[in-house]
Amino acid sequence: TGNTGGTTPPAGGSTPTGTNQSGNNTFGSGSGDVGSSDVSFAEVKRVRELYSEGFRLFSEDPVRAREFLSRAYVSGLLPAEDEKRVRVNIARLNETLVFSRTVVPGDPFAQSYTVRPNDSLSAIVSQRSLLIDHRLLARVNDLKNPNNIRLGQQLKLITGPFHLVVHKNAYRADLFMGDADDRVFVRSFVVGLGEGNSTPVGTFRVRPNSKLINPEWTNP
């Protein structure tokens, strides 16, 4: 598995790193519990197909590659080594799909926009109902001064929404874009946790207008 489908880098990234070329992957030996009676052979086979097809499409269709690899990743049926491989390579795709000015055809989370009279980044976010912060648009479009956009300028818009899944046992936060079955993996971050396993478990939502930029923090 893990065939890249060619050596020509795609618009949305480059050929995957560390893929298993031997075809001897043992799926279900990692974080997913394939040995459980609740997991069928058909499910494992489907995850294997998503994984293989994702890497096959890596160069020719980065949008679909990200979709297939994300679906394999969130299944919980990949071995730990293959989960890491997927995280690394989708993050490489997203350097273009998410964090560059390039809009790749067929990407459901990115669109082109032409600046209109009296536009601002915050107004664009509001008018287009984008579930993101306007500062992300500034970063994606490499705007040194977010307040300085010109009439007729082409911008890349990211639609969102984003959410994080924190894996306490791995000290890792996985960032996703989209909802439910349509979500795609974006990238991972190493995170610190509360002392004495005090970080609570559950689902939490950031309240509107409650985010702080570089907040002060004092070790209690």
Side-chain angles (χ1 to χ4, degrees), residues 11-13 62-63 66 70 90-104 107-111 132 135-142 155-162 175-178 184-187 189:
V63 172
R66 179 180 63 180
S70 294
I90 297 182
R92 294 181 65 196
L93 289 176
N94 284 324
E95 286 301 312
T96 296
L97 294 176
V98 179
F99 298 110
S100 82
R101 298 177 64 183
T102 301
V103 178
V104 177
D107 189 345
F109 300 105
Q111 53 190 245
I132 62 169
R135 282 168 284 251
L136 177 61
L137 293 187
R139 172 180 173 178
V140 165
N141 291 281
D142 195 26
L155 297 178
K156 175 180 177 178
L157 307 185
I158 298 295
T159 62
F162 289 90
L175 178 65
F176 292 88
M177 185 165 52
V184 294
F185 178 84
V186 178
R187 62 173 300 177
F189 303 88

Side-chain angles (χ1 to χ4, degrees), residues 37-191:
S37 59
D38 294 332
V39 180
S40 68
F41 175 79
E43 290 177 278
V44 178
K45 182 175 182 292
R46 179 55 179 159
V47 170
R48 183 184 293 114
E49 291 171 347
L50 289 168
Y51 179 91
S52 300
E53 186 69 359
F55 278 117
R56 187 188 70 80
L57 293 170
F58 199 93
S59 292
E60 63 187 72
D61 192 341
V63 172
R64 292 182 67 203
R66 179 180 63 180
E67 175 192 346
F68 290 164
L69 292 174
S70 294
R71 287 164 61 187
Y73 182 68
V74 301
S75 73
L77 300 179
L78 290 177
E81 179 182 350
D82 290 314
E83 282 191 345
K84 180 178 180 180
R85 184 176 301 129
V86 167
R87 288 196 300 270
V88 168
N89 284 289
I90 297 182
R92 294 181 65 196
L93 289 176
N94 284 324
E95 286 301 312
T96 296
L97 294 176
V98 179
F99 298 110
S100 82
R101 298 177 64 183
T102 301
V103 178
V104 177
D107 189 345
F109 300 105
Q111 53 190 245
S112 295
Y113 179 82
T114 302
V115 175
R116 302 171 183 175
N118 303 316
D119 263 346
S120 66
L121 294 186
S122 58
I124 292 170
V125 168
S126 176
Q127 293 164 6
R128 306 286 290 189
S129 300
L130 305 179
L131 300 174
I132 62 169
D133 188 281
H134 72 275
R135 282 168 284 251
L136 177 61
L137 293 187
R139 172 180 173 178
V140 165
N141 291 281
D142 195 26
L143 300 176
K144 306 304 181 186
N145 183 355
N147 298 315
N148 185 19
I149 56 176
R150 64 184 185 277
L151 184 65
Q153 182 177 1
Q154 288 294 120
L155 297 178
K156 175 180 177 178
L157 307 185
I158 298 295
T159 62
F162 289 90
H163 68 272
L164 278 171
V165 177
V166 177
H167 301 270
K168 292 178 62 174
N169 62 338
Y171 293 87
R172 188 185 76 247
D174 288 345
L175 178 65
F176 292 88
M177 185 165 52
D179 288 317
D181 293 338
D182 294 327
R183 68 192 186 277
V184 294
F185 178 84
V186 178
R187 62 173 300 177
S188 290
F189 303 88
V190 177
V191 295

